[in-house]
Structure formats: structure tokens, C-alpha cells
Amino acid sequence: MKTAIAAQNSSSETLIDKHFGKCSYFHIYDDESQTTEVIDNPARGIKGCKGDVIVNELIAKNVNAVIAGDFGTKVQQLLNQGQIQMIIHPDTRVSVSEIIELLNHKNK
Amino acid sequence: MSPRPKNNRTVFDPPKFKGYKPFGYYAGENEPVFLFFEEYAALKLCDYELMTQSQASQVMNISRPTFTRLYESARRKIALALAEARPIEVEKGRAYFSNDWYNCRACNIFFTAPGIELSSVRCPLCQSKNLEEITTN
Ligand SMILES: [Zn+2]
């Protein structure tokens, strides 16, 4: 299972992003291989409706779940259609590495 | 998921709070103002996501005049709460959720669980089963 975490920068110690669509990077954690791939937000620099660009990219990478501080309404519609699990973490003082540690416990 | 009942308003994510409380002066002494989920949603779409009323009414699956009434009523309730130092409590009202949302009582996150049967839903982060189904239609 792959989880994309919206993040402020590319380091694993970075905090998660308050807003899914506007984050700079996604850290895609695969709990089977226990590896993380960091990608630029594919919609960075695009003005207007970015949701479809991001969601299509995540679907192409077989992402099953996404985590951010909040999700815009249009992006929620697209994620619903893609059957991707949304996780809202209202406390955005949590780091990507802390989230990955939690996702890892699932296997134990 | 059950079909959307007639006359209900589609709402995406639930509010991340159960209410607001004023502090200082007359805080806590007054009757709460009840704000419906769909009123909160109307206000968020227009004044936080910056949609036009026409875009927001389409997203919520309601007519433009109905949307305008919800939006006005949300603003008036919030103004009333501020002006009279009254707490705000959110209530479900006639909201229809496009998704089932859960709140984990252990770690306080909100999540959807597409394709997962209710009985086997767990918190994706802490694995707790101590969940509140916020938005079951
Ligand atoms: Zn939890």
C-alpha cells in the first residue's frame, strides 16, 4: 500500500503541509518495500485548477492513500472518484518521518 | 453508499471542530448558536476556497438561491455569535456527505475509508477502533 504525504520540503524531517494542493513535495511511502519516493508537486507553477494534475500523477504511481492538513473541495471530488483514501491531519506540526513511523506499525 | 436524498446539500469534508467558545468578558454565559454543517460548508467554499456562489452551489448540488440563503444564514449566525459573545455549536442539519468520514478519538485525525467495510475500519495511523462516524448519511 502506498501513501502520499503532502510535505513542505524534500527532507524526511520536514513537516506535513497544511494544504494538499499547494504543497511543494509529496513523499510517497510504500509499506511493503518500506521505501519512500520523494516527488515534486506535479502542479507546482500551474495556475488555476491543479487537482487533476496531482491526482492523475498519484493514480499513475498507484497511490492508495493521501495525507495533508486539509483538502480542497475539487480535489476531494477527484480523490473520491479515484477511490483514494483521504487522511486529514489537523495538527500540521507533525513531521513526515513521524507519519512514516506510524504507517509502519500497521505491519506489526 | 446510500443515494443522495432529495433536497439535501452535498458537503465534502466535515468541520474539524464541534464548536467554538468565546473567551474573556461574558464568555460562557450565553446560549449557543447552532450552525449547520451545510452552512459552514457554504461559508468555507465562498470565503476560504474563494469560489463564486455559482461554483459553490454546483459543488453542493443546490440551486443558486438556496445556496445564497445558506450562505447568508451562516454569516448571520457567526455575526450573532461574535456580537453577543455566544458559543457556536455545529449540527448536522440537512447535509449529505459525498463520503463517509471518520474521526479517530485516539489521535484525532479525520479520514475516509473507500471500499472498506464498516466493521473492519481502523484508524490508518494509530490502528485504533475507537472511531466516531461523523458523516454517515
Ligand atoms: Zn488514530
Side-chain angles (χ1 to χ4, degrees):
Chain A
M1 157 134 181
K2 284 187 177 179
T3 306
I5 306 157
Q8 297 180 6
N9 67 52
S10 59
S11 139
S12 65
E13 294 314 311
T14 189
L15 300 182
I16 65 164
D17 205 286
K18 208 160 56 195
H19 200 286
F20 178 78
K22 293 180 191 151
C23 72
S24 300
Y25 294 92
F26 288 103
H27 292 237
I28 304 177
Y29 179 69
D30 181 342
D31 64 4
E32 276 154 38
S33 62
Q34 303 201 352
T35 53
T36 308
E37 179 189 4
V38 180
I39 62 165
D40 281 354
N41 182 340
R44 212 182 338 172
I46 297 179
K47 288 218 157 100
C49 208
K50 310 162 168 198
D52 50 348
V53 178
I54 301 173
V55 174
N56 289 343
E57 174 82 11
L58 296 180
I59 289 174
K61 290 194 175 289
N62 297 314
V63 164
N64 312 93
V66 287
I67 304 183
D70 200 10
F71 295 88
T73 300
K74 284 179 187 154
V75 133
Q76 290 189 39
Q77 287 174 309
L78 297 164
L79 291 165
N80 282 350
Q81 283 160 15
Q83 293 272 92
I84 296 176
Q85 177 176 48
M86 283 179 269
I87 301 168
I88 295 178
H89 203 299
D91 181 358
T92 47
R93 291 167 303 180
V94 64
S95 70
V96 167
S97 63
E98 287 171 298
I99 297 279
I100 289 176
E101 197 167 315
L102 289 169
L103 291 169
N104 243 329
H105 283 296
K106 200 183 280 189
N107 295 332
K108 287 166 195 160
Chain B
M1 183 159 299
S2 51
R4 174 181 175 268
K6 227 182 145 195
N7 298 326
N8 284 21
R9 297 81 198 262
T10 304
V11 169
F12 287 82
D13 50 328
K16 300 178 194 69
F17 52 85
K18 292 192 169 174
Y20 273 90
K21 265 190 183 161
F23 64 92
Y25 302 119
Y26 299 102
E29 292 172 21
N30 299 317
E31 280 292 296
V33 172
F34 294 97
L35 182 71
F36 294 130
F37 277 13
E38 61 269 34
E39 291 170 332
Y40 160 78
L43 192 72
K44 186 185 179 207
L45 291 175
C46 275
D47 292 337
Y48 181 76
E49 298 199 27
L50 305 179
M51 286 188 189
T52 63
Q53 290 205 11
S54 153
Q55 289 168 328
S57 64
Q58 281 166 26
V59 161
M60 291 183 73
N61 257 312
I62 51 181
S63 71
R64 176 69 197 275
T66 304
F67 180 85
T68 303
R69 277 197 298 277
L70 272 186
Y71 177 68
E72 287 294 317
S73 126
R75 289 175 44 174
R76 284 177 191 186
K77 285 183 178 179
I78 287 165
L80 175 69
L82 295 179
E84 297 184 2
R86 287 164 64 172
I88 297 171
E89 285 184 20
V90 286
E91 279 202 332
K92 186 166 172 206
R94 285 163 70 194
Y96 170 78
F97 286 89
S98 58
N99 238 324
D100 290 336
W101 281 93
Y102 302 88
N103 173 233
C104 172
R105 292 193 181 97
C107 72
N108 227 347
I109 63 161
F110 295 81
F111 61 96
T112 61
I116 303 175
E117 219 168 297
L118 182 61
S119 58
S120 46
V121 174
R122 281 169 175 274
C123 171
L125 293 186
C126 76
Q127 305 304 313
S128 171
K129 293 204 85 173
N130 185 7
L131 308 174
E132 180 178 356
E133 291 172 60
I134 316 173
T135 62
T136 310
N137 289 297

